[in-house]
Amino acid sequence: MTFNPGIDVPDELSRLSLGQDTPPRIRDAPELNNTGTIPVDITEKFKKASSALQPGEIVKDEFFTLFESVGALEIMDPKMDSGCVKPGDEFEELYDVSKPLLPEEVLGIIDQLLCHETVFTSVYVESLMMPDPTHIEEAVFVRRGDTQADAQPMLQVLRAYCLGMLKACAYVNERVKSEHYYEEEDFVTNTYNRTLLGSLSTADIRAELNDAANVVQKQREHLGGEISEALSSRLKLRDIFLSAAECPQFVAQPDLARQPWETALMLLPTIKATHGLSKQVDESFSVKLQRKLASTVPPRPIVKLSFENAFGHLDRLFKDGCELINVLSYTNSQCLQTFLRHFQAKKPQPLVYVRTLLQTFLFDAMEMLGGMSIRMIMDDDLAIVSLPASPYLDRANDDIEVLHDPRFIISQQMEAFRKRAAEPFLDIFRTFCQNRCRVRRTLCHNIERWDQLQADAEQLDLELQARAQEVNLAGQKFSPNTIPVEDDAWSLSMWTYLYKLRQMEWIVQLGFELEVYQPDELAGMYWYLSYLSKTRIEYVPRLRKTLTERVKDLRESPAQNRRNPAVERQMLRTLEWIRLSLLDAVVTWGLSEALASLYTACSRLELLTPPPRPYSNDELRYELRMKPFAKIETPGPISFEQFAAHTSQQGVSTEELLLEASKAMTDAKKACESMSKMTPEESFSVGSHDRWLASIKNTLKSCIATGLAIATVQKAMREDTRGGKLKLTVEVPTPDKTYHEWWIVPKIAPEST
């Protein structure tokens, strides 16, 4: 039977055979005249051809895919091939986990586990995890053969410690994965197909830790007092850390949540003091164990920290965890933000586990700090910044059910605004739980959303003003715990604008801290920072004037017409925040203006020379630095010509420039001194006042250092009679060598003769 093509079948298909009638075609064998593979050295030809390529240019065959690239890697290379076995070596690790251990050796292995970067190189840990135990009795070192070895007292102690350590690792890993983090920057959550004892309960592991502690006490006479104390303290630390990992369940009880962290801190001195008793067992750790991991990456060498460094991390972990609990003592939204900013800015930075635990306290189960709604936090912040005792925030409006009532409409419009503003507002809190580089990068995205939110807020302000007038015309009244609405109030747009300006300042300031800007760019970026802070200075007083007049009217009103004292307290709280905001803006403006002028003067005097840049120019670098602000409508972008003119200040002499810098520095210094005298309530730093005050004092030191640098240049210019280059040396320090990471004050000194 043959295939007959139909009408709609193409000719190409009709000519295809089904192989039923036509016998297969037999091809003749090819003639082999090849002399064999002849290798040719193409090294010189390849070098000559590649030399013709321009920098950044690449030649790639489209058929040479990633699969071929990986396949081209040389096998039997120990750096790339995990299965590579050296001559005379064994493929498997032959260490015997059942052999007896001395108490000093157990202590040494425990301390080595603390010093190793990963647990996947310990033979003892591997024997507990694989095969994955389903109940606590299976989690032993020896599962077949001489199972009596597990009954050795020292192996019981080591087993209990390893169980507690693995469970703690599981807690940490799950906590990090459940929150917002960046794996490529912060933490590697991959366990390579290891479950970290996920099938075992914490109660069973704690029971094993308790039994091991009892074993140590029974062996105390045999072990000696110091060794017994060393082993007991380490077992107890493992049990305490499990309690600390479970502290989020006490989010409503800060004292209970803080207790395990404080207890652990009291144990650490004993652990540090007894480290000298340990004896390391290096053969119990092997890189060969990585061959059993479900991993596609090349084998990694064992990374081992010194005990001092590892203990420093452990000490910092518990100190940060103890301090972290302070976030649960809520005062107001501004105090909460102050705590987050200064806690995250610590040096060294809090570990990623502490920062994810902070996120849990802030955002767990759609509640903030365990019992506060997002609306409560937002309304509190709005009341502090721009809406003190405002009828817009009055919850009595929610009880009105008449659809055409303007108070009902106000309630609905405010709820719509909260939904619109909730995400960018909460992202400020979430952002300050990330690492410093990620904070700046995230803020660059956030300000665009705040810019859009400001446009919506301006339209909503107009609608709310109209509704408030309708309430007055209809003879209706708001709650007596509120104050009348101003006809030209722009409260919501003011709130969004101030937050946007502050975040723009943080982006620039973090650029100094993270060394984003080169030394010859500091003058321009400090000028732009002064421009942003000056905008904030010009904007805030409008709100202060209105509130001051209202507080005066409220105090002068007859006693029978006075409102609830809470109204006056809210207005005074807003005035305190405005004063703090103005002083902060004055410090930022004055110090950045002084540093911008100082760096400009140094450039004019050829004390600072830019490095050669064959592939860039000033305008391209300006576009790069201003990229985060390019889409912001208010304040609008500044052209490169304006930026260059303001930075260079060609119409101002160097002497006048330094004089203006000295005046600006003096203003910043006075504002710093005023801020340093504020109480925690006045500075909105309840719960973090010590860190806030330290930051202010460091800024004050930066002001003094700036003044000394300016005076040094002025003195050298007065003494210079020849008109040549000043005999001064200028060193631009790195942020870690300054008083404050945001203020890069140059070190200027006379040349040594």
Side-chain angles (χ1 to χ4, degrees):
M1 177 179 176
T2 59
F3 175 72
N4 294 321
I7 298 175
D8 297 328
V9 179
D11 293 340
E12 290 81 357
L13 292 179
S14 66
R15 288 194 294 270
L16 292 178
S17 171
L18 295 178
Q20 297 179 355
D21 297 332
T22 306
R25 180 181 178 182
I26 300 177
R27 298 183 178 181
D28 297 333
E31 296 181 3
L32 299 178
N33 296 323
N34 192 3
T35 58
T37 303
I38 302 176
V40 178
D41 188 356
I42 63 170
T43 304
E44 295 302 325
K45 293 182 179 180
F46 181 81
K47 289 181 179 179
K48 183 178 180 181
S50 61
S51 63
L53 296 175
Q54 297 296 324
E57 187 177 1
I58 186 173
V59 177
K60 179 182 179 298
D61 188 342
E62 61 180 358
F63 296 105
F64 194 76
T65 63
L66 178 62
F67 181 81
E68 283 78 14
S69 301
V70 175
L73 296 176
E74 184 178 358
I75 62 173
M76 299 306 293
D77 181 355
K79 294 182 179 180
M80 300 301 297
D81 186 1
S82 62
C84 177
V85 180
K86 297 180 181 179
D89 197 4
E90 297 290 339
F91 182 81
E92 296 285 348
E93 179 56 51
L94 302 181
Y95 180 84
D96 183 12
V97 295
S98 65
K99 71 176 185 179
L101 292 174
L102 297 174
E104 294 81 2
E105 292 177 327
V106 172
L107 193 62
I109 294 174
I110 289 175
D111 285 355
Q112 282 181 281
L113 286 170
L114 177 65
C115 298
H116 279 244
E117 181 190 47
T118 174
V119 298
F120 299 125
T121 55
S122 169
V123 179
Y124 287 101
V125 171
E126 178 70 11
S127 63
L128 286 178
M129 288 195 298
M130 294 301 292
D132 185 24
T134 58
H135 49 82
I136 194 68
E137 288 77 13
E138 290 184 357
V140 292
F141 294 137
V142 182
R143 304 192 191 187
R144 292 185 297 272
D146 185 16
T147 57
Q148 295 299 321
D150 291 315
Q152 299 177 44
M154 289 300 99
L155 286 184
Q156 291 182 41
V157 173
L158 180 58
R159 169 179 173 266
Y161 181 88
C162 291
L163 290 175
M165 180 191 65
L166 288 173
K167 197 63 178 180
C169 291
Y171 269 124
V172 171
N173 202 49
E174 291 302 317
R175 176 67 61 199
V176 172
K177 290 195 297 184
S178 66
E179 300 297 344
H180 194 71
Y181 78 104
Y182 293 88
E183 182 168 347
E184 68 277 10
E185 301 171 4
D186 292 321
F187 195 83
V188 178
T189 57
N190 188 2
T191 58
Y192 308 105
N193 204 30
R194 299 295 193 263
T195 62
L196 300 179
L197 308 183
S199 302
L200 306 185
S201 68
T202 305
D204 289 339
I205 291 178
R206 279 183 167 161
E208 294 295 330
L209 287 168
N210 185 57
D211 292 343
N214 293 333
V215 169
V216 172
Q217 292 301 319
K218 292 178 181 179
Q219 298 283 327
R220 187 177 183 85
E221 293 183 2
H222 173 69
L223 298 175
E226 291 184 343
I227 289 289
S228 299
E229 185 69 20
L231 293 174
S232 297
S233 62
R234 284 157 174 79
L235 291 172
K236 189 175 182 181
L237 181 69
R238 278 295 149 210
D239 183 63
I240 292 172
F241 189 83
L242 293 177
S243 299
E246 295 175 340
C247 70
Q249 63 181 317
F250 301 112
V251 66
Q253 299 170 289
D255 292 338
L256 288 178
R258 185 182 289 106
Q259 183 178 351
W261 301 98
E262 293 178 338
T263 307
L265 283 174
M266 292 187 291
L267 272 178
L268 293 184
T270 302
I271 294 176
K272 184 177 182 179
T274 55
H275 171 66
L277 304 174
S278 64
K279 179 182 178 181
Q280 294 189 1
V281 186
D282 293 332
E283 59 271 20
S284 65
F285 296 85
S286 175
V287 72
K288 294 180 181 180
L289 299 178
Q290 297 184 59
R291 296 169 180 168
K292 301 180 181 180
L293 302 179
S295 173
T296 58
V297 300
R300 300 177 60 186
I302 295 178
V303 178
K304 183 180 178 181
L305 304 175
S306 65
F307 181 79
E308 290 73 19
N309 289 339
F311 185 83
H313 285 290
L314 189 65
D315 182 65
R316 184 158 52 92
L317 169 67
F318 286 109
K319 286 182 177 178
D320 290 346
C322 189
E323 183 180 354
L324 170 68
I325 307 301
N326 292 335
V327 77
L328 299 177
S329 302
Y330 180 81
T331 304
N332 56 60
S333 64
Q334 289 297 315
C335 289
L336 178 59
Q337 291 184 47
T338 303
F339 175 88
L340 293 177
R341 289 199 308 271
H342 290 89
F343 180 77
Q344 194 269 352
K346 290 174 59 176
K347 297 293 185 294
Q349 191 175 6
L351 298 175
V352 62
Y353 173 64
V354 176
R355 288 186 274 119
T356 52
L357 192 60
L358 178 59
Q359 291 184 56
T360 301
F361 287 147
L362 288 175
F363 306 112
D364 191 34
M366 295 302 294
E367 288 184 342
M368 297 192 68
L369 306 177
M372 302 187 67
S373 66
I374 297 174
R375 174 176 177 174
M376 293 171 65
I377 302 291
M378 285 191 65
D379 284 2
D380 189 23
D381 197 79
L382 285 165
I384 292 175
V385 177
S386 61
L387 288 169
S390 173
Y392 296 162
L393 303 178
D394 190 6
R395 287 186 174 267
N397 296 335
D398 300 340
D399 299 331
I400 298 175
E401 300 179 355
V402 181
L403 300 182
H404 61 269
D405 193 308
R407 292 170 295 180
F408 173 83
I409 299 175
I410 288 175
S411 174
Q412 296 298 306
Q413 290 175 330
M414 285 299 300
E415 185 62 24
F417 176 77
R418 292 188 192 96
K419 291 180 180 179
R420 178 77 171 83
E423 185 175 354
F425 177 70
L426 294 180
D427 275 347
I428 294 178
F429 297 87
R430 187 177 288 108
T431 296
F432 281 106
C433 297
Q434 307 302 320
N435 62 70
R436 297 299 276 177
C437 297
R438 181 58 63 172
V439 167
R440 185 177 187 273
R441 185 173 181 178
T442 306
L443 288 174
C444 292
H445 297 289
N446 285 355
I447 58 174
E448 295 184 12
R449 292 189 295 172
W450 279 93
D451 192 54
Q452 298 171 359
L453 181 63
Q454 183 186 352
D456 296 341
E458 290 173 355
Q459 181 62 34
L460 185 58
D461 275 328
L462 291 173
E463 297 178 6
L464 290 174
Q465 291 172 22
R467 299 302 178 186
Q469 291 176 2
E470 292 180 10
V471 172
N472 296 331
L473 293 175
Q476 299 171 334
K477 293 183 179 181
F478 289 107
S479 170
N481 296 328
T482 61
I483 58 177
V485 179
E486 291 288 332
D487 294 338
D488 57 346
W490 296 87
S491 305
L492 298 181
S493 57
M494 180 182 295
W495 180 76
T496 55
Y497 189 50
L498 288 174
Y499 263 106
K500 182 177 64 174
L501 283 174
R502 197 68 188 94
Q503 290 177 84
M504 293 174 72
E505 292 177 30
W506 288 335
I507 291 172
V508 180
Q509 290 168 324
L510 285 169
F512 298 120
E513 178 181 340
L514 300 173
E515 299 183 74
V516 174
Y517 314 125
Q518 297 299 310
D520 58 307
E521 297 177 297
L522 294 178
M525 296 313 300
Y526 272 121
W527 174 84
Y528 186 69
L529 179 60
S530 70
Y531 166 74
L532 293 175
S533 55
K534 189 175 182 180
T535 304
R536 185 155 59 105
I537 293 174
E538 295 171 349
Y539 194 78
V540 172
R542 285 183 278 175
L543 178 60
R544 181 178 62 175
K545 180 180 179 182
T546 302
L547 283 179
T548 303
E549 293 175 352
R550 290 199 162 203
V551 171
K552 181 179 179 181
D553 294 341
L554 190 66
R555 289 177 174 176
E556 292 177 354
S557 62
Q560 63 270 20
N561 295 331
R562 287 192 179 182
R563 299 173 184 271
N564 191 320
V567 174
E568 184 175 349
R569 286 198 299 269
Q570 289 190 45
M571 298 175 70
L572 291 176
R573 185 177 66 163
T574 300
L575 286 174
E576 289 177 352
W577 180 86
I578 291 174
R579 177 172 178 262
L580 174 66
S581 181
L582 280 175
L583 288 174
D584 177 74
V586 169
V587 170
T588 305
W589 169 79
L591 192 48
S592 56
E593 183 77 12
L595 286 173
S597 300
L598 177 59
Y599 278 110
T600 299
C602 290
S603 298
R604 289 183 184 181
L605 299 171
E606 298 182 354
L607 298 175
L608 280 177
T609 56
R613 296 189 180 98
Y615 300 108
S616 70
N617 55 47
D618 293 342
E619 187 171 0
L620 291 176
R621 287 195 303 277
Y622 167 78
E623 292 179 1
L624 180 63
R625 302 309 180 205
M626 294 297 141
K627 189 176 181 180
F629 318 114
K631 298 180 181 179
I632 304 302
E633 294 185 2
T634 309
I638 300 173
S639 66
F640 171 71
E641 290 74 17
Q642 293 174 314
F643 176 81
H646 285 294
T647 302
S648 61
Q649 301 189 54
Q650 296 295 338
V652 182
S653 66
T654 305
E655 292 81 0
E656 293 175 343
L657 194 64
L658 291 173
L659 184 60
E660 292 298 324
S662 181
K663 292 179 180 179
M665 181 278 303
T666 303
D667 292 339
K669 183 181 176 182
K670 291 180 179 178
C672 261
E673 292 172 347
S674 297
M675 293 178 69
S676 64
K677 299 175 183 178
M678 287 183 167
T679 64
E681 291 75 18
E682 292 173 340
S683 59
F684 292 86
S685 60
V686 177
S688 58
H689 185 68
D690 291 341
R691 293 198 179 279
W692 177 86
L693 186 59
S695 177
I696 297 300
K697 290 183 177 180
N698 288 335
T699 303
L700 180 59
K701 293 178 182 178
S702 299
C703 292
I704 297 173
T706 303
L708 293 175
I710 294 172
T712 302
V713 178
Q714 289 175 325
K715 180 181 178 182
M717 292 180 67
R718 288 194 300 267
E719 295 176 352
D720 181 45
T721 58
R722 301 178 182 178
K725 183 177 180 180
L726 299 181
K727 295 182 179 181
L728 295 174
T729 59
V730 177
E731 177 190 355
V732 180
T734 55
D736 59 318
K737 295 180 180 180
T738 59
Y739 292 113
H740 196 292
E741 294 85 354
W742 290 356
W743 306 112
I744 313 299
V745 182
K747 297 180 180 179
I748 304 177
E751 287 184 354
S752 57
T753 56

